[in-house]
Amino acid sequence: MLGKLDWSAIPFDQPIPLVAGAVVLVAILGVLAWVVIKGHLPYLWREWITSVDHKRIGVMYVLLASVMLLRGGSDAIMMRIQQAVAYQSQGYLPPEHYNQIFSAHGTIMIFFVAMPFVIGLMNLIVPLQLGVRDVAFPTLNSVGFWLTATGALLVNISLVVGEFARTGWLAFPPLSELSYSPGVGVDYYAWSLQISGVGTLVAGINLVTTVLKLRTKGMNYLRMPMFCWTTLASNLLIVAAFPILTATLAMLLLDRYLGFHFFTNEAGGNVMMFMNLIWAWGHPEVYILVLPAFGIFSEVVSTFSGKALFGYRSMVLATMAICVISFMVWLHHFFTMGAGPDVNAIFGIASMIIAVPTGVKIYNWLFTMYGGRIRFATPMLWAVGFMVTFIVGGLTGVLLAVPPADFMLHNSMFLVAHFHNVIIGGVLFGAFAGFEYWFPKAFGFRLDERWGKAAFWFTFLGFFITFMPLYVAGMLGMTRRMQHYDVAVWRPWMLVAAVGMAVLTIGVICQIMQLVVSIRDREALRDRTGDPWDGRSLEWATSSPPPVFNFAFNPDVRGEDAYWEMKAHAKQQLLEHEEPEYQDIEMPRNSPTGFVCAFFATIMGFALIWHIWWMVILGGLGAFATFVLFAWRDHDEYVIPADRVARIDRVNLEERRRLVSMAGAI
Amino acid sequence: MSMTATAGHAHADPHHIGVVIEHTGPAPKRIVTAYGFWIFLLSDIVMFSCFFAAYAVLAGQTAGGPKGSEIFDQKNVAIETVCLLLSSFTCGMASIAADVRNRFWFYLGMAVTCALGLIFLTIEFREFADLVARGYGPSRSAFLTAFFSLVGCHGLHVSAGVLWLLTMMAQVFAKGFRADIQRRMMCFALFWHALDIIWVAVFSVVYLLGSAP
């Protein structure tokens, strides 16, 4: 009746996951109870859960990523403590549990923190920057988000019910095959990624179509803001790479569930095929994450330097070059697995070549700052901190791209330090910069600068104190994923790294404090103009938060830095505004489809993991019924009447006129 | 911020050197939907290409089991191919009927498409069942694993297509040729034709190459 599920699935003998699970459960129940008692449930359902508004979905993505960042961060803290104390002892974590922690940490940080964070920011901002009303497929957008949430939920369920994979974050066979991992850990891993992967693919298709087909009048390709370009590149990569992940995991699941022989040791299966397939997805994935961050830095650096982006066209070219080359380097992830010197040399050179367009970008940001009027607001701090950090990570990356060096350093703490260097210093700093930069746009008030700067400095220093020692430990021969060790020279570096982790934690606390303080002082921090940073692109041309339809009129773009030119134009013409003629606006209707889909997907995923076949059929039927019901609806749009549009837009125009006249007075 | 052409010249001569063609704004819904669905199809083809790659790698790994030339029945595959290619034609007829809003020809075209799809699936299912009965199931060897997965994945797509087809017929029956239903019909047709293209690849890579002794 319940497949493999019984009471032994719940680890009553292990206090750590039980206590953690209990705390999370109490927190969730507490929030739910508060929501229900205060009567917020109908509001949440109407305005958020069933919303198809790209801004709301973007905010929910970022919220999901932030919550999961805390989960993945606690895993990181546990690992750093373990390695600090596990010198000539077993430490405080049993090996079984430690292996689950590092697998979960990697999986969560990449799939449920970095991905939703950048997809959330793209969702929130790209339609605004392109001057359009929504993404190409609004309901599908909601489906994508909720499927991602399903994946995150399944990973968290594994904390208490059953176990998570003990295989590392990419579940290499034959370790992940049934004979070596007979438990449900790998199944949790594979099904949560399959389900959230569908969500990611949907988001990718949506954003590619939005950028290519929905741009407003006059928004030619070479007038798009840089963030739109990197979004396009990143989502093209999603569309091309995520199906590879889907196929690879499907093969692994077929091996595990039906006794197939794709990657087994017996009957002709080929383990190296898994390496090739998974990294053919995995390497582009790195650029899927970092390209949007590059876009954010481009926006931030040019805004806070008060200058147009230096070398815009070379930036576009560099972005697309990275997009293409990222598919030609995957083999550098297994230089040491016997491909031979010719193949290694070719992939080594390709890996080094990808540093060239990245270098072009770094120089362009520096030249943008050169001669500019730089304001060191929090987003700019993250951008400059990124440039410093990312160069270190890039250099160690080029070092690892030299096959002979890689033979010495692969699988060591040096590698761990390298990819944390680029992912934290690139993606996470970018995500934080974007968060600080666009928060006022999403919510209508700025974030507290003092707490923001404190958060930056603690995170920045904490990062270096944590990860520079890991480079050294790697040079000293320490391999990754060690549960305990007996080598005395590694010990001090592990202790320093643990201290660094403590500093990083203070950074996280500052960030939470910033949010709390800013919400408390939101009236004082209110942004009435919609343009708190003196921005250059179209998202600043509407009010903050934007009305549901974003723009009362489709903006007419006449050049790069569309809004900057509009502002300059307005100052010259000294505010000759006449009342425009407003028209009715059609907007997509809210729909519970996404949430219902995710509900059935969760049931189905859980049932598949535990082999509860009747429940799988139930979930599948439910999903199909949702699809048909959704297809049957008669009205998918509603109309916002012209006078309401006018009322909303007049307020915005009034504030803006005041802004321009003040600027004119100066 | 140089402006090579003044805005709003929709009829500017695109052949004149130095003229930038102004983007005229969001595309109509029909274009957007079809474009998005094309991108989905491309991603689906990428997924198939992984199964093709796996088949190419594993085709020789028979682990003492049968080779392709020993289990493939050319006549069956020929009938399957004819069914599927013909169904693409009838699906095209149904699309044209939908465009001119002719219910009779639409239903007829879709019904024949459905019948041909079902014949294809039946033949494929019998081929699979026969192999399993002879002890040549997917867990026999890596070659059979790759074969069942690649061909089965295509079969799964055809099954989903048949379900979608029936839903489309029901929708036209209940709602008529509304604009959104026309868009869905267009997506369905794209999907069905794409399955045909993939079958041509399956036919060549698996059955033709595999039948060589």
Side-chain angles (χ1 to χ4, degrees), chain A residues 218 220 267 558 565 631 634, chain B residues 1 3 23 139 142 171 175 178:
Chain A
N220 289 357
R558 304 290 174 90
E565 286 182 8
D634 279 325
Chain B
M1 273 129 286
M3 290 266 302
H23 184 67
S139 41
Q171 285 214 312
K175 316 252 170 199
R178 235 168 41 188

Side-chain angles (χ1 to χ4, degrees), chain A residues 15 55 112 166 237 338 408 414 490 501 503 601:
Chain A
K55 302 179 284 294
F112 301 113
R166 286 167 284 125
L237 286 176
M408 298 303 294
F414 188 92
W490 299 345
M501 196 69 225
V503 180

Side-chain angles (χ1 to χ4, degrees), chain A residues 648-661:
Chain A
I648 294 170
D649 198 48
R650 271 187 211 123
V651 181
N652 180 26
L653 281 181
E654 201 45 51
E655 295 290 354
R656 229 151 271 265
R657 226 166 273 179
R658 204 175 306 155
L659 173 80
V660 175
S661 59

Side-chain angles (χ1 to χ4, degrees), chain B residues 9 24 27 29 41 49 72 77 90 93 109 151 163 173 175 200:
Chain B
H9 284 193
T24 49
K29 236 174 186 172
L41 283 178
S49 70
F72 297 149
V77 183
T90 54
M93 295 306 276
V151 180
L163 263 182
F173 182 74
K175 316 252 170 199
V200 171

Side-chain angles (χ1 to χ4, degrees), chain B:
Chain B
M1 273 129 286
S2 61
M3 290 266 302
T4 341
T6 40
H9 284 193
H11 48 78
D13 177 18
H15 301 295
H16 187 267
I17 294 166
V19 170
V20 175
I21 304 166
E22 287 284 328
H23 184 67
T24 49
K29 236 174 186 172
R30 191 185 139 85
I31 305 282
V32 172
T33 306
Y35 199 86
F37 198 75
W38 260 116
I39 294 174
F40 162 74
L41 283 178
L42 288 178
S43 78
D44 209 32
I45 286 171
V46 171
M47 192 201 65
F48 266 108
S49 70
C50 293
F51 282 100
F52 273 108
Y55 180 81
V57 169
L58 300 176
Q61 307 294 325
T62 51
K67 284 193 300 184
S69 53
E70 296 163 36
I71 56 169
F72 297 149
D73 179 357
Q74 299 278 30
K75 210 179 87 200
N76 264 345
V77 183
I79 300 172
E80 278 181 298
T81 308
V82 169
C83 282
L84 213 56
L85 293 185
L86 217 56
S87 82
S88 227
F89 173 72
T90 54
C91 175
M93 295 306 276
S95 299
I96 294 171
D99 278 346
V100 298
R101 295 163 179 263
N102 184 322
R103 276 184 190 247
F104 172 74
W105 283 104
F106 172 80
Y107 288 134
L108 186 68
M110 290 294 257
V112 176
T113 309
C114 179
L116 290 168
L118 287 175
I119 295 171
F120 172 88
L121 284 173
T122 313
I123 298 174
E124 186 160 281
F125 182 79
R126 274 178 47 198
E127 181 192 11
F128 279 9
D130 178 50
L131 281 174
V132 173
R134 282 154 66 192
Y136 300 151
S139 41
R140 174 65 190 83
S141 71
F143 156 66
L144 285 164
T145 287
F147 165 75
F148 272 88
S149 309
L150 174 57
V151 180
C153 187
H154 178 266
L156 217 57
H157 273 74
V158 176
S159 315
V162 169
L163 263 182
W164 188 0
L165 183 154
L166 295 173
T167 319
M168 283 318 306
M169 286 176 82
Q171 285 214 312
V172 170
F173 182 74
K175 316 252 170 199
F177 294 109
R178 235 168 41 188
D180 55 340
I181 289 167
Q182 294 272 28
R183 287 199 297 272
R184 274 173 219 157
M185 182 55 208
M186 179 174 57
C187 291
F188 167 75
L190 284 174
F191 181 77
W192 197 262
H193 297 316
L195 285 183
D196 225 21
I197 295 171
I198 290 169
W199 177 257
V200 171
V202 171
F203 173 74
S204 323
V205 171
V206 176
Y207 290 105
L208 276 186
L209 285 177
S211 296

Side-chain angles (χ1 to χ4, degrees), chain A residues 19-352:
Chain A
V19 171
V23 170
V24 171
L25 206 66
V26 167
I28 290 175
L29 288 179
V31 171
L32 270 183
W34 179 79
V35 164
V36 172
I37 291 168
K38 283 275 195 174
H40 292 319
L41 203 58
Y43 165 78
L44 267 187
W45 177 260
R46 243 182 308 115
E47 297 291 320
W48 290 90
I49 294 174
T50 62
S51 176
V52 296
D53 180 350
H54 71 96
K55 302 179 284 294
R56 298 246 155 118
I57 291 173
V59 168
M60 288 194 288
Y61 262 118
V62 171
L63 193 66
L64 174 74
S66 311
V67 171
M68 292 305 283
L69 181 63
L70 296 181
R71 162 77 210 274
S74 358
D75 288 338
I77 293 172
M78 289 172 83
M79 281 189 286
R80 284 285 123 250
I81 295 175
Q82 169 73 13
Q83 290 202 327
V85 300
Y87 170 60
Q88 290 185 336
S89 82
Q90 287 291 318
Y92 72 109
L93 289 172
E96 274 277 310
H97 190 193
Y98 181 76
N99 294 351
Q100 289 181 40
I101 289 177
F102 68 62
S103 308
H105 170 75
T107 311
I108 287 172
M109 285 303 199
I110 296 290
F111 291 98
F112 301 113
V113 178
M115 287 300 286
F117 215 130
V118 295
I119 292 180
L121 289 175
M122 294 190 285
N123 244 312
L124 177 66
I125 292 304
V126 165
L128 289 169
Q129 286 195 333
L130 294 176
V132 296
R133 301 230 154 96
D134 209 325
V135 291
F137 310 106
T139 312
L140 216 55
N141 203 13
S142 153
V143 172
F145 165 72
W146 285 106
L147 288 181
T148 310
T150 291
L153 182 62
L154 284 176
V155 172
N156 282 315
I157 289 176
S158 80
L159 189 64
V160 182
V161 186
E163 52 169 5
F164 197 69
R166 286 167 284 125
T167 51
W169 77 284
L170 281 185
F172 292 146
L175 180 57
S176 56
E177 292 283 355
L178 206 54
S179 37
Y180 301 96
S181 295
V184 292
V186 177
D187 304 326
Y188 262 115
Y189 166 87
W191 287 115
S192 59
L193 294 199
Q194 281 301 50
I195 293 170
S196 65
V198 174
T200 307
L201 180 66
V202 165
I205 292 170
N206 223 332
L207 283 163
V208 169
T209 315
T210 306
V211 174
L212 292 181
K213 285 288 157 206
L214 286 191
R215 285 164 291 132
T216 188
K217 193 167 175 300
M219 181 66 87
N220 289 357
Y221 282 117
L222 285 175
R223 290 177 186 170
M224 289 202 302
M226 211 42 226
F227 186 57
C228 295
W229 266 108
T230 56
T231 296
L232 175 63
S234 166
N235 284 288
L236 283 173
L237 286 176
I238 287 180
V239 171
F242 264 76
I244 309 180
L245 179 71
T246 306
T248 314
L249 291 177
M251 291 178 200
L252 182 64
L253 286 166
L254 284 170
D255 276 7
R256 288 179 62 85
Y257 277 72
L258 298 172
F260 281 37
H261 291 289
F262 280 109
F263 313 123
T264 54
N265 286 335
E266 319 80 58
N270 190 329
V271 174
M272 282 314 292
M273 195 167 70
F274 185 90
M275 305 301 160
N276 278 296
L277 284 172
I278 200 88
W279 285 116
W281 158 80
H283 198 86
E285 165 72 6
V286 175
Y287 292 93
I288 291 171
L289 294 176
V290 87
L291 280 172
F294 287 172
I296 294 168
F297 292 127
S298 301
E299 304 290 305
V300 166
V301 168
S302 111
T303 299
F304 289 96
S305 303
K307 274 174 71 187
L309 190 67
F310 182 91
Y312 171 81
R313 282 170 189 236
S314 65
M315 214 62 152
V316 171
L317 204 63
T319 303
M320 294 324 276
I322 292 174
C323 180
V324 173
I325 305 174
S326 70
F327 267 107
M328 303 175 182
V329 302
W330 81 90
L331 195 130
H332 70 214
H333 292 271
F334 42 95
F335 273 151
T336 58
M337 294 199 200
D342 296 341
V343 174
N344 280 359
I346 288 170
F347 280 88
I349 291 165
S351 308
M352 291 175 216

Side-chain angles (χ1 to χ4, degrees), chain A residues 467-625:
Chain A
F467 289 99
M468 295 305 125
L470 299 192
Y471 277 121
V472 182
M475 292 286 215
L476 293 171
M478 184 172 183
T479 53
R480 69 204 286 207
R481 296 172 183 150
M482 288 193 112
Q483 194 255 335
H484 62 101
Y485 55 92
D486 301 325
V487 181
V489 287
W490 299 345
R491 183 80 202 283
W493 302 108
M494 291 301 109
L495 290 173
V496 178
V499 172
M501 196 69 225
V503 180
L504 264 177
T505 312
I506 299 174
V508 173
I509 293 170
C510 287
Q511 204 115 39
I512 296 171
M513 279 308 293
Q514 182 196 27
L515 206 55
V516 173
V517 168
S518 311
I519 291 173
R520 193 193 64 197
D521 300 342
R522 61 187 176 280
E523 282 314 316
L525 292 166
R526 182 76 58 195
D527 160 43
R528 297 190 188 286
T529 60
D531 183 23
W533 310 114
D534 200 6
R536 315 180 68 83
S537 41
L538 280 178
E539 78 266 35
W540 308 110
T542 181
S543 61
S544 323
V548 66
F549 47 80
N550 290 352
F551 301 96
F553 299 95
N554 288 337
D556 188 359
V557 176
R558 304 290 174 90
E560 282 170 44
D561 286 340
Y563 186 48
W564 186 262
E565 286 182 8
M566 282 182 196
K567 281 193 282 192
H569 195 64
K571 278 175 203 165
Q572 279 167 13
Q573 302 226 330
L574 283 172
L575 319 161
E576 288 169 12
H577 282 283
E578 49 207 83
E579 179 78 344
E581 244 179 73
Y582 290 97
Q583 280 168 347
D584 292 357
I585 293 178
E586 275 191 351
M587 289 302 290
R589 198 181 273 277
N590 282 1
S591 160
T593 309
F595 188 77
V596 177
C597 251
F599 173 77
F600 286 117
T602 310
I603 289 183
M604 210 166 143
F606 187 80
L608 280 163
I609 289 161
W610 291 99
H611 297 234
I612 311 171
W613 302 119
W614 61 267
M615 215 188 207
V616 174
I617 294 167
L618 205 70
L621 286 178
F624 182 67

